[in-house]
Structures are given as C-alpha cells and as structure tokens.
Amino acid sequence: MQTSPDHPLNPSPDSKWQTFFQDNDVLLQIDKDVRRLCPDIAFFQRPTDFPCKRIVDNPEVERLNKRVQFSVLKSANVTQKGLGVTKQISVSRRVANEEYAPLRAGQEAHWEVVERLLFVYAKLNPGQSYVQGMNEIIGPLYYTFASDSCLQWKEHAEADCFFCFTNLMSEIRDFFIKCLDDSESGIMKMMNRLSDKIKVVDYAVWHHLHQLDVKPQFYSFRWLTLLLSQEFPLPDVIRIWDSLFADSNRFDFLLDVCCAMHVLVRSQILAGDFPSNMKLLQNYPQMDIKEVLSKAMQLSLQSFIS
C-alpha cells in the first residue's frame, strides 16, 4: 500500500508536521511564560556562565525561541490623491523588546535555559505536557542551582534542576490536570482541606469568610498549586520551600503555612468586607517570613498533639 507523502497540510495525527505544529503551540506558551519569570529581579535576563555549547556554538541548530519568534512584513499605509496617484503616509514595523531579546552569539540567557527545560519536560510527558504555572515552580529551583557559589555545582545547574523539577512534579502533577481536580489528590481536595483546617484553627476567621462568601477557590488555588511562589519575594519562597521539602509530610505543612497566613492577618480579615478581604488574600502583605514559618510550625505541633 502506497502512503501519501507528508506535508504541512496533512491532517493525519501521525504526521510529523502535525507534531511540529503542536509542539510550537506548547513552545509558544512556554516562551511567553519564561520571559516574564520573576520580573522583580534581573537574574533570568542575564547570561548564564555555562551556556549549552552544542546549541550556541552551532549555527545549524535553531534556538527554541527562534521557532516561535514572530515576524512582520514591511508595510505602508497609503492614501489616494486623485486617479491613480498614491502617497505613502507611514511605515508600520514591529520592534523587538530589548529586555527580552536573546543575547549575542555565544551567550544564553537563564530564561532560555528554563525554556529548554520546560519544553523537554513537555515532550517527555505528552499526557500532561506543559501547563501555565509550571514556570513558577521551576523558577526558584533553577535560581537556587544556577546561583550556587560552587562553580562545579553551578555548571550542572540545568541537569540538577531538571532532575529536581521532575521529581517535584511527580508529587504535584495532579494539581495541573483539570480532570483530576475533584479527585483525592486534586487541587479541590487540597482547598477543602485548607478550609477545614482554618475552621479548626480559627473559627471566627473561617465563619467571617464563609459569611462573606469568600471561597478558598478565589485565592488559595494559586497559593496551593504554585506552592506560594507568587505570594512572597523569591528569597522568602526559597526559605519556605526549604522547610516544605525537608518535611516528609510537606503538603500538610503547606496547609499549616497557609493557615498561618490567615491567622497573621486575622484582625484585617475580621474587619474587612468582601472586596477588602479578596484584595488582602489575593495580594498578601509583605511580612517577616520567619514569623509566618514560626506560626506554621506552632500550628503543626498543635495538630500533632491533638
């Protein structure tokens, strides 16, 4: 049986072109997300000390961000002056954002390394692929390895980060799979456990939020899915994760940290209405992370004793 040649318009799911286009859709989302990773610091825009030589030194290898780079044809707006007479009035041209532009030849920005890590993960896990938010999980991991004071360890930051990210995702992957939201390991179950824990720890806070109809889904979805990586500055996130990953019951302790965050702003919650509490919990105020972890540890010990 003769098979038809593969081509870009081939609708067959087995077409290599279909795979290429699907990969580009995933890569486009990754590219958007990693470029805005940790915007408060310039680290991810800086060049890595250990770029992948097989990519940066080989002109035949296309960088991932080049695959999804937009290009705009030169164009001009014209007006008609009488019959057959035209006049050019402006030229439209897209200018690249220098902040996000790739570095010169031979260099590679940290965000490009993270982009490669996430794309490889998506290819190795086609059932899950890439989901927005994974960039916020891998960011603190990569930063920790890539800023190590030991050059020997720093050189292998990419490989070490991928190993740790893969292992961490094996524990939280169900948070990123929508069809598992209501399962025993899904994100809805975690949010319900948080609500139940707040009810036990501080009934007045739970009751007030319940009366205002401030549901945990409105704010704790991000807290739990991204392991609080969006609620605190990067150094504080690393400190929180240090405690989380050192605890074999890390997700129970994550709930303790989230409960502590409620308790520490208790007076503001009880005095607030729906809009003010939504603003408070969705934009958690800055505070000493030691105080948050100390309160979380206290709540954890209380749960253990009871």
Side-chain angles (χ1 to χ4, degrees):
M1 179 179 179
Q2 187 177 4
T3 58
S4 58
D6 200 4
H7 55 81
L9 298 181
N10 187 352
S12 172
D14 298 327
S15 168
K16 291 182 179 180
W17 281 102
Q18 287 296 314
T19 301
F20 177 80
F21 293 141
Q22 290 168 6
D23 285 349
N24 274 7
D25 288 340
V26 173
L27 185 56
L28 179 60
Q29 186 60 62
I30 294 174
D31 190 73
K32 289 179 180 178
D33 292 344
V34 297
R35 288 172 182 264
R36 54 174 179 249
L37 192 59
C38 298
D40 294 337
I41 61 175
F43 172 81
F44 288 94
Q45 306 303 324
R46 294 173 182 163
T48 173
D49 295 330
F50 301 99
C52 181
K53 296 297 184 181
R54 295 175 62 182
I55 294 177
V56 299
D57 292 342
N58 189 346
E60 296 183 1
V61 176
E62 184 182 40
R63 294 194 182 192
L64 287 177
N65 61 80
K66 293 290 186 181
R67 281 180 55 171
V68 291
Q69 187 175 24
F70 289 104
S71 60
V72 179
L73 297 176
K74 291 183 178 180
S75 61
N77 296 328
V78 296
T79 57
Q80 186 171 355
K81 297 290 185 180
L83 293 176
V85 180
T86 60
K87 178 182 178 182
Q88 179 175 310
I89 58 174
S90 66
V91 175
S92 176
R93 184 180 180 188
R94 180 176 293 182
V95 180
N97 187 334
E98 292 300 323
E99 183 184 1
Y100 295 145
L103 303 174
R104 63 178 181 270
Q107 289 188 319
E108 189 174 42
H110 288 293
W111 68 263
E112 293 182 86
V113 180
V114 175
E115 180 176 45
R116 182 164 59 246
L117 289 169
L118 289 171
F119 185 64
V120 171
Y121 179 83
K123 290 291 291 180
L124 292 176
N125 297 271
Q128 182 184 31
S129 190
Y130 170 78
V131 180
Q132 258 188 307
M134 290 182 182
N135 59 309
E136 306 296 351
I137 296 294
I138 200 172
L141 294 175
Y142 177 78
Y143 174 85
T144 301
F145 288 114
S147 58
D148 198 291
S149 58
C150 176
L151 286 180
Q152 186 177 1
W153 290 11
K154 191 175 182 179
E155 182 178 2
H156 303 287
E158 183 173 354
D160 291 341
C161 176
F162 186 76
F163 175 82
C164 290
F165 175 69
T166 302
N167 278 275
L168 178 57
M169 284 304 302
S170 70
E171 297 189 27
I172 64 172
R173 79 169 70 239
D174 290 356
F175 293 174
F176 291 89
I177 302 177
K178 187 171 180 60
C179 63
L180 297 178
D181 282 355
D182 295 318
S183 69
E184 192 68 23
S185 59
I187 190 62
M188 287 298 298
K189 179 70 174 180
M190 281 291 287
M191 289 190 288
N192 290 336
R193 286 180 60 195
L194 175 60
S195 180
D196 293 342
K197 193 171 186 67
I198 296 170
K199 186 177 181 180
V200 172
V201 169
D202 196 326
Y203 180 82
V205 167
W206 176 87
H207 181 70
H208 187 66
L209 292 176
H210 183 72
Q211 288 292 101
L212 294 175
D213 202 28
V214 178
K215 302 181 185 297
Q217 295 92 317
F218 297 160
Y219 61 93
S220 66
F221 179 87
R222 187 178 70 186
W223 288 15
L224 298 169
T225 304
L226 303 183
L227 307 182
L228 299 172
S229 62
Q230 293 295 284
E231 315 313 316
F232 298 95
L234 184 56
D236 290 350
V237 172
I238 293 173
R239 178 62 188 88
I240 293 173
W241 285 18
D242 190 48
S243 295
L244 284 179
F245 299 156
D247 194 327
S248 57
N249 299 314
R250 57 183 59 92
F251 297 113
D252 289 337
F253 189 66
L254 175 61
L255 295 179
D256 290 326
V257 175
C258 292
C259 273
M261 292 167 65
H262 285 81
V263 173
L264 292 172
V265 292
R266 181 179 196 275
S267 58
Q268 292 135 283
I269 291 176
L270 295 177
D273 55 8
F274 180 89
S276 61
N277 277 321
M278 284 294 296
K279 183 178 180 180
L280 174 68
L281 296 171
Q282 289 183 343
N283 301 276
Y284 196 78
Q286 297 300 310
M287 63 175 59
D288 187 351
I289 197 61
K290 292 180 181 179
E291 186 178 0
V292 177
L293 290 174
S294 177
K295 175 58 71 173
M297 182 58 68
Q298 180 184 340
L299 296 176
S300 178
L301 290 174
Q302 288 177 359
S303 298
F304 179 77
I305 294 172
S306 60

